[in-house]
Tab-separated table of all heavy atoms in Angstrom:
chain	number	residue	atom	x	y	z
E	186	SER	N	79.801	64.689	21.520
E	186	SER	CA	79.578	65.242	20.173
E	186	SER	C	80.194	64.388	19.070
E	186	SER	O	80.620	64.907	18.035
E	186	SER	CB	80.114	66.675	20.095
E	186	SER	OG	79.436	67.512	21.010
E	187	GLU	N	80.257	63.079	19.293
E	187	GLU	CA	80.635	62.186	18.203
E	187	GLU	C	79.507	62.205	17.169
E	187	GLU	O	78.334	62.231	17.525
E	187	GLU	CB	80.829	60.764	18.718
E	187	GLU	CG	81.931	60.595	19.742
E	187	GLU	CD	83.312	60.572	19.117
E	187	GLU	OE1	83.390	60.611	17.868
E	187	GLU	OE2	84.294	60.521	19.870
E	188	PRO	N	79.837	62.195	15.877
E	188	PRO	CA	78.767	62.182	14.875
E	188	PRO	C	77.941	60.907	14.901
E	188	PRO	O	76.769	60.903	14.538
E	188	PRO	CB	79.502	62.339	13.547
E	188	PRO	CG	80.901	61.862	13.838
E	188	PRO	CD	81.168	62.237	15.264
E	189	ALA	N	78.571	59.807	15.355
E	189	ALA	CA	77.869	58.530	15.427
E	189	ALA	C	78.617	57.604	16.368
E	189	ALA	O	79.823	57.757	16.590
E	189	ALA	CB	77.748	57.890	14.045
E	190	ALA	N	77.895	56.650	16.917
E	190	ALA	CA	78.496	55.594	17.736
E	190	ALA	C	77.675	54.332	17.553
E	190	ALA	O	76.473	54.382	17.294
E	190	ALA	CB	78.553	56.006	19.204
E	191	PHE	N	78.336	53.204	17.710
E	191	PHE	CA	77.691	51.905	17.545
E	191	PHE	C	77.715	51.152	18.863
E	191	PHE	O	78.778	50.968	19.456
E	191	PHE	CB	78.415	51.098	16.459
E	191	PHE	CG	78.027	49.639	16.411
E	191	PHE	CD1	76.703	49.259	16.229
E	191	PHE	CD2	78.988	48.643	16.541
E	191	PHE	CE1	76.341	47.922	16.182
E	191	PHE	CE2	78.649	47.303	16.484
E	191	PHE	CZ	77.315	46.938	16.312
E	192	GLY	N	76.547	50.717	19.326
E	192	GLY	CA	76.441	49.906	20.526
E	192	GLY	C	76.268	48.447	20.154
E	192	GLY	O	75.253	48.069	19.553
E	193	LEU	N	77.241	47.621	20.526
E	193	LEU	CA	77.196	46.196	20.220
E	193	LEU	C	76.375	45.521	21.312
E	193	LEU	O	76.912	44.954	22.260
E	193	LEU	CB	78.619	45.627	20.154
E	193	LEU	CG	78.865	44.406	19.283
E	193	LEU	CD1	80.344	44.034	19.288
E	193	LEU	CD2	78.031	43.212	19.674
E	194	CYS	N	75.071	45.606	21.163
E	194	CYS	CA	74.145	45.165	22.208
E	194	CYS	C	73.843	43.673	22.096
E	194	CYS	O	73.451	43.180	21.048
E	194	CYS	CB	72.827	45.942	22.107
E	194	CYS	SG	73.002	47.699	22.432
E	195	GLN	N	74.011	42.989	23.201
E	195	GLN	CA	73.633	41.580	23.299
E	195	GLN	C	73.220	41.338	24.747
E	195	GLN	O	74.031	41.459	25.637
E	195	GLN	CB	74.802	40.668	22.935
E	195	GLN	CG	74.386	39.198	22.954
E	195	GLN	CD	75.388	38.279	22.267
E	195	GLN	OE1	75.897	38.584	21.201
E	195	GLN	NE2	75.679	37.166	22.878
E	196	ALA	N	71.958	41.147	25.013
E	196	ALA	CA	70.851	40.776	24.148
E	196	ALA	C	70.266	41.989	23.402
E	196	ALA	O	70.470	43.124	23.806
E	196	ALA	CB	69.734	40.144	25.003
E	197	PRO	N	69.494	41.705	22.307
E	197	PRO	CA	68.781	42.771	21.616
E	197	PRO	C	67.647	43.304	22.478
E	197	PRO	O	67.455	42.856	23.614
E	197	PRO	CB	68.260	42.071	20.354
E	197	PRO	CG	68.100	40.642	20.761
E	197	PRO	CD	69.220	40.381	21.733
E	198	GLY	N	66.870	44.273	21.945
E	198	GLY	CA	65.895	44.888	22.817
E	198	GLY	C	64.545	45.272	22.249
E	198	GLY	O	63.605	45.492	23.004
E	199	HIS	N	64.378	45.373	20.924
E	199	HIS	CA	63.212	46.083	20.410
E	199	HIS	C	61.879	45.353	20.581
E	199	HIS	O	60.827	45.951	20.373
E	199	HIS	CB	63.418	46.510	18.951
E	199	HIS	CG	63.450	45.385	17.952
E	199	HIS	ND1	63.200	45.617	16.624
E	199	HIS	CD2	63.714	44.061	18.072
E	199	HIS	CE1	63.305	44.478	15.960
E	199	HIS	NE2	63.619	43.518	16.824
E	200	HIS	N	61.890	44.088	20.977
E	200	HIS	CA	60.630	43.396	21.270
E	200	HIS	C	60.200	43.560	22.726
E	200	HIS	O	59.064	43.222	23.071
E	200	HIS	CB	60.755	41.898	20.954
E	200	HIS	CG	60.950	41.593	19.505
E	200	HIS	ND1	60.093	42.044	18.521
E	200	HIS	CD2	61.921	40.874	18.865
E	200	HIS	CE1	60.523	41.630	17.345
E	200	HIS	NE2	61.630	40.921	17.527
E	201	ALA	N	61.061	44.043	23.589
E	201	ALA	CA	60.735	44.199	25.006
E	201	ALA	C	59.931	45.476	25.224
E	201	ALA	O	60.295	46.551	24.746
E	201	ALA	CB	62.011	44.245	25.842
E	202	GLY	N	58.814	45.355	25.954
E	202	GLY	CA	57.976	46.502	26.243
E	202	GLY	C	58.219	47.030	27.640
E	202	GLY	O	59.142	46.614	28.342
E	203	GLU	N	57.367	47.945	28.046
E	203	GLU	CA	57.504	48.531	29.376
E	203	GLU	C	57.510	47.468	30.461
E	203	GLU	O	58.280	47.554	31.428
E	203	GLU	CB	56.361	49.525	29.624
E	203	GLU	CG	56.379	50.137	31.002
E	203	GLU	CD	55.159	50.989	31.279
E	203	GLU	OE1	54.261	51.057	30.415
E	203	GLU	OE2	55.092	51.592	32.368
E	204	ASP	N	56.654	46.456	30.322
E	204	ASP	CA	56.548	45.437	31.369
E	204	ASP	C	56.452	44.033	30.794
E	204	ASP	O	55.764	43.181	31.337
E	204	ASP	CB	55.361	45.730	32.281
E	204	ASP	CG	54.024	45.673	31.553
E	204	ASP	OD1	54.019	45.581	30.296
E	204	ASP	OD2	52.984	45.712	32.225
E	205	PHE	N	57.151	43.772	29.714
E	205	PHE	CA	57.169	42.402	29.191
E	205	PHE	C	58.429	42.146	28.373
E	205	PHE	O	59.034	43.058	27.813
E	205	PHE	CB	55.924	42.106	28.344
E	205	PHE	CG	55.777	42.960	27.115
E	205	PHE	CD1	56.418	42.636	25.922
E	205	PHE	CD2	54.956	44.077	27.132
E	205	PHE	CE1	56.262	43.409	24.783
E	205	PHE	CE2	54.782	44.860	25.998
E	205	PHE	CZ	55.444	44.518	24.824
E	206	LEU	N	58.811	40.865	28.340
E	206	LEU	CA	59.928	40.390	27.543
E	206	LEU	C	59.385	39.595	26.365
E	206	LEU	O	58.238	39.165	26.350
E	206	LEU	CB	60.862	39.536	28.395
E	206	LEU	CG	60.250	38.324	29.125
E	206	LEU	CD1	60.281	37.061	28.267
E	206	LEU	CD2	60.970	38.069	30.442
E	207	GLY	N	60.214	39.386	25.361
E	207	GLY	CA	59.812	38.601	24.202
E	207	GLY	C	60.842	38.694	23.104
E	207	GLY	O	61.652	39.627	23.071
E	208	GLY	N	60.817	37.737	22.189
E	208	GLY	CA	61.726	37.773	21.049
E	208	GLY	C	63.186	37.807	21.447
E	208	GLY	O	63.998	38.477	20.784
E	209	GLN	N	63.549	37.118	22.524
E	209	GLN	CA	64.897	37.141	23.094
E	209	GLN	C	65.329	38.536	23.541
E	209	GLN	O	66.520	38.846	23.600
E	209	GLN	CB	65.935	36.560	22.122
E	209	GLN	CG	65.826	35.061	21.916
E	209	GLN	CD	64.843	34.688	20.832
E	209	GLN	OE1	64.909	35.197	19.727
E	209	GLN	NE2	63.935	33.799	21.135
E	210	CYS	N	64.359	39.395	23.848
E	210	CYS	CA	64.617	40.754	24.317
E	210	CYS	C	64.072	40.918	25.732
E	210	CYS	O	62.945	40.484	26.018
E	210	CYS	CB	63.945	41.776	23.403
E	210	CYS	SG	64.484	41.717	21.669
E	211	TYR	N	64.837	41.587	26.585
E	211	TYR	CA	64.465	41.740	27.990
E	211	TYR	C	64.372	43.203	28.401
E	211	TYR	O	63.451	43.594	29.118
E	211	TYR	CB	65.475	41.012	28.875
E	211	TYR	CG	65.601	39.548	28.521
E	211	TYR	CD1	66.534	39.122	27.579
E	211	TYR	CD2	64.763	38.597	29.096
E	211	TYR	CE1	66.638	37.784	27.229
E	211	TYR	CE2	64.860	37.254	28.755
E	211	TYR	CZ	65.794	36.859	27.812
E	211	TYR	OH	65.880	35.530	27.455
E	212	LEU	N	65.329	44.001	27.977
E	212	LEU	CA	65.315	45.444	28.194
E	212	LEU	C	65.404	46.117	26.835
E	212	LEU	O	66.175	45.692	25.968
E	212	LEU	CB	66.493	45.887	29.073
E	212	LEU	CG	66.530	45.315	30.495
E	212	LEU	CD1	67.826	45.712	31.188
E	212	LEU	CD2	65.325	45.768	31.310
E	213	ASN	N	64.621	47.179	26.634
E	213	ASN	CA	64.556	47.794	25.313
E	213	ASN	C	65.670	48.821	25.166
E	213	ASN	O	65.557	49.970	25.573
E	213	ASN	CB	63.184	48.438	25.099
E	213	ASN	CG	62.952	48.774	23.640
E	213	ASN	OD1	63.769	49.448	23.017
E	213	ASN	ND2	61.850	48.292	23.088
E	214	ASN	N	66.768	48.391	24.559
E	214	ASN	CA	67.963	49.221	24.461
E	214	ASN	C	67.714	50.532	23.718
E	214	ASN	O	68.178	51.598	24.145
E	214	ASN	CB	69.075	48.439	23.766
E	214	ASN	CG	69.386	47.132	24.454
E	214	ASN	OD1	69.541	47.080	25.663
E	214	ASN	ND2	69.459	46.052	23.681
E	215	ALA	N	66.997	50.476	22.599
E	215	ALA	CA	66.744	51.681	21.814
E	215	ALA	C	65.888	52.668	22.588
E	215	ALA	O	66.142	53.878	22.584
E	215	ALA	CB	66.070	51.319	20.492
E	216	ALA	N	64.863	52.165	23.265
E	216	ALA	CA	63.998	53.046	24.047
E	216	ALA	C	64.754	53.650	25.221
E	216	ALA	O	64.588	54.837	25.550
E	216	ALA	CB	62.777	52.272	24.540
E	217	ILE	N	65.586	52.850	25.881
E	217	ILE	CA	66.366	53.346	27.013
E	217	ILE	C	67.328	54.438	26.554
E	217	ILE	O	67.476	55.473	27.215
E	217	ILE	CB	67.115	52.174	27.681
E	217	ILE	CG1	66.111	51.267	28.401
E	217	ILE	CG2	68.178	52.677	28.647
E	217	ILE	CD1	66.690	49.928	28.839
């Protein structure tokens, strides 16, 4: 129940799809 938290993600994720990588992204952190 923290009001907010920050994930210092490296590598980034938002270009990675269900079955593809791209834009230096491999796993989609936000979707996960």
